[in-house]
Amino acid sequence: QKEKPQDSEFEKVKTLIIAHYTAPDRGLEMAQASLSSKCERKIAMAILFSRKNEVKKAQGLFADDSCGESLPFWFREKGRFYFELGRIQDALKYLNKALSVMRDDYYALFFRGRIYGSMGKVDLALADLNRVLEYVPHDSEVHYILGRIKGRYVGPFYGYLHFAYAALYRGDKAETL
């Protein structure tokens, strides 16, 4: 298992987003107060709104790329957001930008692999998802997606194998993205 790449800025933002979910009345103010830069605050708000399904607010924040160069995970989160909206070409554009800055960003690889799988680009999907497994080999969601792709395009046995891993790794032993 490879060591996961460090993404300390994202971890800080993610911690504050979790604080918002656990204390919704105070979390937003805590997040804004403890983030050091305008870009960090903007990104935290965009991620928060996208995960709360407040699409219009998130779109407004994601429309500006001015923070992308200083915090590369911005592109990954923007790609994830567009993926969830079904805007596949936009999602690929930003996931590829994220991977050009941080080659081993397994979050971006995971979403790009899912997109390639849905497009029938099996070789590209498997390449990305297998790279994700190098970092998080016990991730049940990655195995589930691999099971769907391999079951459909490679053969049922290979799909079942990954579904079995997904079931095995779900729970206490599982790593998650």
Side-chain angles (χ1 to χ4, degrees):
Q1 176 178 343
K2 286 186 177 180
E3 187 175 325
K4 295 178 186 177
Q6 294 299 312
D7 197 349
S8 58
E9 294 94 356
F10 179 67
E11 292 304 318
K12 184 165 58 167
V13 169
K14 192 166 81 172
T15 301
L16 295 164
I17 291 169
I18 291 168
H20 172 75
Y21 281 117
T22 56
D25 54 328
R26 297 185 0 246
L28 206 52
E29 294 113 41
M30 285 178 4
Q32 288 181 323
S34 58
L35 291 171
S36 59
S37 75
K38 179 183 172 189
C39 283
E40 287 176 336
R41 287 190 293 277
K42 178 177 155 187
I43 291 169
M45 298 305 296
I47 294 168
L48 181 63
F49 288 139
S50 71
R51 301 218 173 159
K52 288 176 67 179
N53 210 25
E54 294 184 31
V55 176
K56 293 255 189 243
K57 290 179 181 177
Q59 273 180 319
L61 292 165
F62 278 127
D64 176 16
D65 276 340
S66 63
C67 291
E69 294 304 314
S70 62
L71 298 168
F73 69 87
W74 169 257
F75 294 127
R76 176 190 63 225
E77 290 301 314
K78 193 169 182 172
R80 182 194 58 76
F81 175 69
Y82 286 130
F83 168 77
E84 290 174 359
L85 287 180
R87 293 174 53 183
I88 300 304
Q89 292 307 314
D90 289 330
L92 277 175
K93 173 184 169 185
Y94 288 103
L95 292 169
N96 286 331
K97 276 187 178 184
L99 288 164
S100 73
V101 175
M102 193 170 166
R103 187 179 165 279
D104 291 327
D105 183 337
Y106 57 91
Y107 291 100
L109 286 166
F110 173 72
F111 286 109
R112 191 174 74 175
R114 285 182 66 183
I115 290 170
Y116 285 150
S118 70
M119 296 170 77
K121 296 182 177 185
V122 179
D123 292 339
L124 294 172
L126 295 178
D128 280 354
L129 294 169
N130 284 323
R131 278 183 59 202
V132 173
L133 284 180
E134 292 176 14
Y135 296 100
V136 286
H138 301 110
D139 188 291
S140 62
E141 191 172 1
V142 176
H143 281 288
Y144 176 77
I145 298 299
L146 276 167
R148 288 181 58 196
I149 294 169
K150 285 188 175 185
R152 182 173 184 186
Y153 295 106
V154 179
F157 171 77
Y158 297 101
Y160 295 140
L161 181 65
H162 282 284
F163 288 142
Y165 281 128
L168 175 69
Y169 296 137
R170 192 167 287 134
D172 293 339
K173 289 195 261 180
E175 296 179 42
T176 58
L177 286 174

